[in-house]
Amino acid sequence: MKPSPLRLIKATQNLLSHENPLGLPKTGSIPKFQRGLPTKRPIRNVSHVIAISSAKGGVGKSTIAANLALAFSQLGYKTGILDTDLFGPSIPTLFNLAGPDHSPHLTPNNQLVPLTNYAVKTMSMGYLVGEDAPLVWRGPMLLKAVQQLLHEVDWTSGSGGSSSSSAGGLDVLVLDLPPGTGDIQLSITQQVELAGAVIVTTPHTLAIKDAIKGVNMFKKVGVPLLGVVNNMSTFNCPCCGTETEVFGSSAQVKRVCEEHEMDYLGDVPLHGRIGEDGSLGRPTVVSEPESERAEVFRGIARVVGGRIGLIKHDG
């Protein structure tokens, strides 16, 4: 019996090579392993690619990335999101696509087919190995896996979820980057033509320090900086209405934007529903589309879309 392609890799059962860590069939269009720096090229059938980065874990970067992707979709763009955090994938949970029933299959040309929900196409290592399985890989396999995720996904196709985006390629692909400024981030900036990067931080001093490292990394590799999102900026008490800057003053974030000549894209409040809805697989833009919080994400998407040259669809 021909093995099912639904489970493409199982790290505990297969000894996968550096050449093909995702276990895709070798008769397809998988690019040969390259020595030296890879060639920077566009992602097929994707018009604009933006990276969402924090350089620090725990500041809500994946939640921001998911809501921005959903906001782009609500604004009329054909949208996808690619989870490049190989060690801690979050997109399956955020898009309610976690579990063994949600595994991508292959096109006849041996390309991964993204999973779709809320009209957004998604791809994540979490679909391939499971969100709870540890990824015990060394650098060469990680970098090759990133290359395959970037260039071996067919964004013209899609399956699964409660609704499907229209056929054809994407107007915008959101990359949810892992924390840090290491091999994976550099590999992405070297392999893909990025329209720009959005930096996510909180007002906390330690988060800002790491965010600046991310800013400087993108400057060194020549990726345009689209601006900064100040996450968990303020907490509004539901009992007394008092507004408190729990993690520090937002003035620090604005000062960094001025020093590095970046746009201050907006404040996302510290609100229990944002985290709770995300953990339930229905991010704010989907679960509370009429809320002020959802409008914050759409406002950020409008600014970022304008910066990268997206054209609003008629109708």
Side-chain angles (χ1 to χ4, degrees), residues 57-71:
V59 299
K61 168 188 54 61
S62 294
T63 299
I64 299 296
N67 276 288
L68 283 181
L70 291 164

Side-chain angles (χ1 to χ4, degrees), residues 8-19:
L8 297 176
I9 62 175
K10 293 184 178 179
T12 58
Q13 297 181 10
N14 298 313
L15 182 61
L16 302 177
S17 70
H18 295 342
E19 286 288 323

Side-chain angles (χ1 to χ4, degrees), residues 40 49-51 175 177 185 188-189 192-197 218 222-224:
K40 185 179 291 190
V49 183
I50 62 171
L175 302 184
L177 266 59
Q185 293 85 346
I188 290 171
T189 60
V192 177
E193 294 180 1
L194 294 172
F218 286 115
V223 174

Side-chain angles (χ1 to χ4, degrees), residues 22-308:
L22 297 190
L24 302 182
K26 296 181 179 180
T27 57
S29 57
I30 299 171
K32 296 294 184 181
F33 190 81
Q34 302 176 49
R35 297 186 181 276
L37 292 178
T39 302
K40 185 179 291 190
R41 54 195 171 109
I43 296 178
R44 282 194 300 263
N45 303 304
V46 176
S47 297
H48 303 86
V49 183
I50 62 171
I52 311 298
S53 171
S54 65
K56 186 175 187 64
V59 299
K61 168 188 54 61
S62 294
T63 299
I64 299 296
N67 276 288
L68 283 181
L70 291 164
F72 280 126
S73 179
Q74 287 189 0
L75 292 173
Y77 304 114
K78 290 181 288 184
T79 308
I81 186 167
L82 175 59
D83 190 348
T84 65
D85 191 345
L86 305 189
F87 292 109
S90 302
I91 296 307
T93 294
L94 287 166
F95 278 81
N96 198 28
L97 293 170
D101 294 335
H102 300 289
S103 298
H105 58 278
L106 298 174
T107 68
N109 196 34
N110 295 329
Q111 303 285 293
L112 287 164
V113 176
L115 303 183
T116 305
N117 205 5
Y118 311 128
V120 172
K121 299 179 181 181
T122 75
M123 180 51 63
S124 171
M125 181 64 80
Y127 300 143
L128 306 176
V129 298
E131 288 187 295
D132 298 329
L135 196 65
V136 190
W137 288 359
R138 294 186 182 276
M141 289 184 72
L142 291 172
L143 298 183
K144 185 62 181 182
V146 169
Q147 182 178 345
Q148 290 183 295
L149 286 173
L150 290 171
H151 296 296
E152 297 300 316
V153 177
D154 182 4
W155 294 107
T156 65
S157 60
S159 64
S162 58
S163 61
S164 298
S165 52
S166 58
L170 301 178
D171 296 316
V172 58
L173 176 64
V174 175
L175 302 184
D176 181 18
L177 266 59
T181 57
D183 287 348
I184 292 178
Q185 293 85 346
L186 291 175
S187 179
I188 290 171
T189 60
Q190 291 168 352
Q191 292 188 41
V192 177
E193 294 180 1
L194 294 172
V198 172
I199 306 297
V200 178
T201 187
T202 70
H204 195 281
T205 299
L206 296 181
I208 294 173
K209 285 181 178 293
D210 281 350
I212 292 173
K213 295 176 184 177
V215 168
N216 289 329
M217 178 195 73
F218 286 115
K219 285 183 176 181
K220 284 186 176 182
V221 296
V223 174
L225 290 160
L226 302 173
V228 175
V229 175
N230 186 24
N231 194 27
M232 308 183 208
S233 58
T234 56
F235 172 72
N236 191 287
C237 178
C239 299
C240 66
T242 302
E243 192 172 85
T244 305
E245 291 184 314
V246 177
F247 294 112
S249 173
S250 297
Q252 295 186 76
V253 182
K254 294 178 180 178
R255 184 161 53 249
V256 168
C257 289
E258 293 174 358
E259 291 173 355
H260 291 270
E261 299 180 338
M262 297 181 296
D263 285 346
Y264 188 86
L265 295 174
D267 295 289
V268 177
L270 176 62
H271 195 284
R273 285 292 301 272
I274 294 178
E276 181 181 0
D277 290 340
S279 66
L280 295 174
R282 288 181 56 82
T284 299
V285 173
V286 172
S287 63
E288 301 179 280
E290 305 302 323
S291 68
E292 292 183 7
R293 296 178 291 281
E295 184 54 36
V296 167
F297 289 115
R298 284 191 293 268
I300 294 171
R302 290 187 188 98
V303 174
V304 172
R307 290 289 305 273
I308 65 177

